């Protein structure tokens, strides 16, 4: 710098050093600021906008080198490169993007041309269709007019034919009406004759059949009514008879029931007055009947053979039954059979 104060600072900093040393100091200072600025930018920003990058370096480094008495008049980045070919790949990417944009532009131009060509063809077809439609409309109008004329002719012809047929039908109707009137007159005369014949036959029927039949029907009705009354009286008498018999049977059953109840009551009082000997006598009287009932199935058996040894199980069971019988009878009836001499003898012999 040419200013005296800044020139004095430069002399203080660089006096006694050669040009190479001065260049190194300035270069290292700029490189330091360059690295600090690189840390704030992306590779794409550095590669794509070098002027902005150089401007930032000048603005940041100018105050530092200015304090050393040096002014940055110009700072230009000649080239940006790296050792892994990343920046060259960015160039290839841009080239590919440009090529892609060019291909897209060509494709879009061809598309637009195709669309325009299709639009032209469509417009041509629309014009052709409109012309064909007008021709078809004209032809249809002609055919419709022709059909209308034909329809009108046919209508007139049909009306004339219908009028002719209608007139013929009217004439036929008049003829038929005259014939019907003649038939009606004939039928009326025939009806008068038939009515007179019916009256005659009705009188004859009344005299010969209807009156005797009515008399017979009245007689049969009277007989039926009498029979009905007779059957009703018979049914009422039968019902009264059944009711009387039922009441009598009910009275008999009631009397028998009272007698049976009184009998059981007296028997119970007699049993209460009996002593032990009397109860035993009753049991003994009933034993033959019980034995007869028990032995009844054995009457159909011709012969029973019991084979037993000294220690046979059957003999043991019979002995056990005779020994347990008095206890069972005592438990059921309250009568002690063990006091009967015959039972005592049987149980004593088995023991």
């Amino acid at each position: 710098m040419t200013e005296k104060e800044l020139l004095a600072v430069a002399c203080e900093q660089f006096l006694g050093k050669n040009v190479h040393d001065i260049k190194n100091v300035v270069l290292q200072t700029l490189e330091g600021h360059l690295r600090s600025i690189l840390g704030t930018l992306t590779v794409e920003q550095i590669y794509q906008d070098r002027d902005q990058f150089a401007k930032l370096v000048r603005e940041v480094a100018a105050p530092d080198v200015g304090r050393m008495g040096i002014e940055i008049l110009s700072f230009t980045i000649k080239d940006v490169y790296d050792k892994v070919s990343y920046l060259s790949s960015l160039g290839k990417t841009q080239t590919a993007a440009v090529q892609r944009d060019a291909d897209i532009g060509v494709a879009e131009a061809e598309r637009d041309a195709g669309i325009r060509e299709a639009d032209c063809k469509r417009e041509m077809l629309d014009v052709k269709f409109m012309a064909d439609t007008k021709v078809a409309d004209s032809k249809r109008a002609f055919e419709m007019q022709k059909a209308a004329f034909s329809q009108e002719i046919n209508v007139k012809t049909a009306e004339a034919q219908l009028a002719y047929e209608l007139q013929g039908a009217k004439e036929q109707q008049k003829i038929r009406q005259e014939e019907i009137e003649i038939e009606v007159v004939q039928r009326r005369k025939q009806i008068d004759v038939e009515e007179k014949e019916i009256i005659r036959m009705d009188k004859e029927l009344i005299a010969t059949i209807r009156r005797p039949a009515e008399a017979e029907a009245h007689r049969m009705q009277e007989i039926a009514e009498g029979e009905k009354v007779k059957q009703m009286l018979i049914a009422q008498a039968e019902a009264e008879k059944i009711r009387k018999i039922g009441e009598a049977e009910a009275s008999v059953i009631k009397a028998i029931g009272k007698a049976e109840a009184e009998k059981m009551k007296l028997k119970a009082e007699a049993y209460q007055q009996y002593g032990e000997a009397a109860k035993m006598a009753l049991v003994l009287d009933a034993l033959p009947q019980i034995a007869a009932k028990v032995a009844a199935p054995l009457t159909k058996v011709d012969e029973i053979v019991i084979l037993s040894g000294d220690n046979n199980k059957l003999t043991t069971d019979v002995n056990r039954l005779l020994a347990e019988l008095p206890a069972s009878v005592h438990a059921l009836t309250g009568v002690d059979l063990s006091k009967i001499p015959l039972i005592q003898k049987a149980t004593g012999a088995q023991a």
Side-chain angles (χ1 to χ4, degrees):
M1 292 181 176
T2 57
E3 295 180 5
K4 291 183 178 180
E5 294 179 358
L6 296 176
L7 184 59
V9 172
C11 292
E12 183 182 354
Q13 294 289 332
F14 300 110
L15 189 62
K17 296 182 179 180
N18 55 28
V19 176
H20 180 70
D21 293 334
I22 296 172
K23 287 182 177 181
N24 286 333
V25 171
V26 175
L27 181 60
Q28 289 176 1
T29 302
L30 294 177
E31 285 180 351
H33 289 291
L34 186 63
R35 289 189 183 93
S36 64
I37 294 172
L38 283 174
T40 62
L41 300 175
T42 63
V43 177
E44 288 78 7
Q45 290 175 342
I46 298 171
Y47 185 78
Q48 295 173 359
D49 196 357
R50 298 183 184 182
D51 293 337
Q52 180 65 24
F53 179 46
K55 181 179 178 182
L56 290 174
V57 174
R58 285 196 303 271
E59 291 176 355
V60 173
D64 288 343
V65 296
R67 285 191 290 270
M68 292 186 294
I70 297 175
E71 182 182 5
I72 299 176
L73 298 177
S74 176
F75 182 83
T76 304
I77 298 174
K78 295 189 296 182
D79 194 10
V80 179
Y81 61 92
D82 64 295
K83 296 181 180 180
V84 294
S85 301
Y86 178 77
L87 296 176
S88 62
S89 298
L90 290 177
K92 292 179 181 179
T93 302
Q94 292 178 351
T95 302
V98 172
Q99 184 65 34
R100 181 197 62 198
D101 295 339
D103 294 338
I104 292 172
V106 173
E108 289 177 351
E110 292 178 352
R111 181 197 62 192
D112 294 339
I115 293 172
R116 181 58 182 165
E117 183 179 359
D119 291 339
C120 293
K121 288 182 179 179
R122 187 186 66 229
E123 292 175 358
M124 180 187 70
L125 292 174
D126 290 341
V127 173
K128 182 176 181 299
F129 290 155
M130 291 178 64
D132 294 341
T133 302
K134 289 181 179 180
V135 172
D137 291 339
S138 300
K139 185 176 180 180
R140 182 184 62 186
F142 172 73
E143 294 293 338
M144 290 178 64
Q145 190 66 30
K146 182 178 178 181
F149 291 154
S150 298
Q151 183 179 5
E152 186 176 357
I153 294 170
N154 293 330
V155 169
K156 294 298 183 181
T157 303
E159 289 178 353
Q161 182 68 25
L162 183 62
Y164 173 75
E165 293 177 356
L166 182 62
Q167 187 63 32
K170 288 181 179 180
E171 296 297 330
Q172 293 292 330
Q173 186 177 6
K174 289 180 180 180
I175 296 171
R176 180 58 183 164
Q177 186 173 2
E178 295 293 334
E179 293 177 350
I180 291 173
E181 290 178 357
I182 295 171
E183 292 178 356
V184 168
V185 172
Q186 293 177 351
R187 184 61 180 164
R188 285 177 181 175
K189 291 182 179 180
Q190 186 178 358
I191 289 172
D192 292 338
V193 175
E194 291 178 353
E195 286 179 351
K196 291 179 180 180
E197 182 65 20
I198 290 171
I199 293 171
R200 186 190 66 79
M201 293 179 66
D202 189 33
K203 290 180 179 180
E204 183 180 357
L205 179 64
I206 291 172
T208 58
I209 298 174
R210 184 179 297 175
R211 288 181 179 175
E214 289 178 353
E216 182 65 20
H218 180 70
R219 187 179 70 82
M220 295 300 293
Q221 184 176 3
E222 292 295 331
I223 293 172
E225 291 292 335
E227 186 67 23
K228 179 180 178 181
V229 172
K230 177 182 177 182
Q231 293 296 329
M232 289 178 61
L233 293 175
I234 293 172
Q236 291 176 358
E238 186 67 23
E240 185 65 20
K241 175 184 175 182
I242 293 172
R243 187 178 66 80
K244 293 293 184 180
I245 293 172
E247 290 178 355
E249 290 179 351
S251 299
V252 171
I253 293 171
K254 184 177 181 182
I256 292 172
K258 287 183 177 180
E260 289 290 338
E262 187 65 25
K263 177 182 177 182
M264 295 299 293
K265 180 179 180 182
L266 294 174
K267 187 181 290 187
E269 292 176 354
Y271 285 161
Q272 290 179 357
Q273 295 175 2
Y274 283 171
E276 188 69 25
K279 292 182 180 179
M280 185 179 298
L282 291 174
V283 172
L284 292 176
D285 290 339
L287 281 178
Q289 297 178 2
I290 296 173
K293 295 292 184 179
V294 174
L298 297 176
T299 59
K300 300 179 181 180
V301 179
D302 295 334
E303 184 179 0
I304 298 176
V305 178
I306 300 176
L307 300 176
S308 62
D310 295 335
N311 297 320
N312 188 268
K313 186 177 183 298
L314 180 60
T315 305
T316 305
D317 292 339
V318 172
N319 294 333
R320 181 175 55 81
L321 179 61
L322 291 174
E324 294 177 356
L325 181 60
S328 300
V329 173
H330 186 270
L332 293 173
T333 64
V335 178
D336 190 3
L337 297 180
S338 61
K339 297 180 179 180
I340 300 173
L342 180 61
I343 301 298
Q344 290 179 352
K345 181 178 180 182
T347 55
Q350 295 296 331

